[in-house]
Each structure stands twice: as structure tokens, then as C-alpha cells.
Amino acid sequence: PELSDENQQVVDILMKYDGPNDSGLTVKEALENKISEEYPQEKIFDHKKTTVDLSITNVNSEEHRVVLNFKSYKGEMNYDWNVNVISEEISSNNSESKYIIELVNYYD
């Protein structure tokens, strides 16, 4: 989607996050891996029933909420994070987003 500069910054902080120890695995890569696991050998983004919704809302002057909903013919994956643009800290608001952050944080 077309994003404002501020919202693009929020998405970039989230997608490039690679844990407290710079693990090498980013949130973007963890999401890509999760989708690949769910849809092996498929070009799922070419499927007409696949949609990705992204919404970004301000929580306060430092924090933004990022909600990413991936929907396909098999079901949905919903991710919900808070991103602090000052500290670049990421917090999870649901179990699916927590799984991704823990995967990144503890990646070897």
C-alpha cells in the first residue's frame, strides 16, 4: 500500500527488526518462512483468494500499532504489534505476532 513517510518508517522498523542480539533473522524473513511453511510449493500470492491487509495506527507520539492480516483459501494469519519509533522496541499483541518476535529474538 501507499504509506506516509511516518508509517513507512514504522513498517521498516518492524520488518527489519532482528532481535536484541542482531540474530540475523528479521521479522520479514520470519513471516516469509511462516507463509512458506503453510504453503509449500505454492505461489500463494498469485492465488486470487489471497489478500494482505496492513493497518497502522498511532497509539501515542512514540508508539504505533501495526496489524497485518494474511488471508488465503486455507484461512487467516493475523499479526498485531506495537512499534516504538524512538527505542525501536517491538511488542506483541497476540500469540501469532509473539511467536514471530520470539523466533527472531531466540534465533541462532
Side-chain angles (χ1 to χ4, degrees), residues 51-65:
T51 62
V52 179
D53 296 317
L54 176 69
S55 69
I56 303 159
T57 54
N58 287 9
V59 175
N60 58 46
S61 63
E62 294 180 4
E63 273 196 350
H64 293 71
R65 182 176 179 195

Side-chain angles (χ1 to χ4, degrees), residues 5-14 56-58 60-66 82-90:
D5 289 344
E6 181 181 15
N7 285 347
Q8 186 63 57
Q9 178 190 10
V10 172
V11 171
D12 289 346
I13 290 169
L14 175 63
I56 303 159
T57 54
N58 287 9
N60 58 46
S61 63
E62 294 180 4
E63 273 196 350
H64 293 71
R65 182 176 179 195
V66 178
N82 280 9
V83 177
N84 185 306
V85 294
I86 305 300
S87 68
E88 297 191 358
E89 183 179 316
I90 312 294

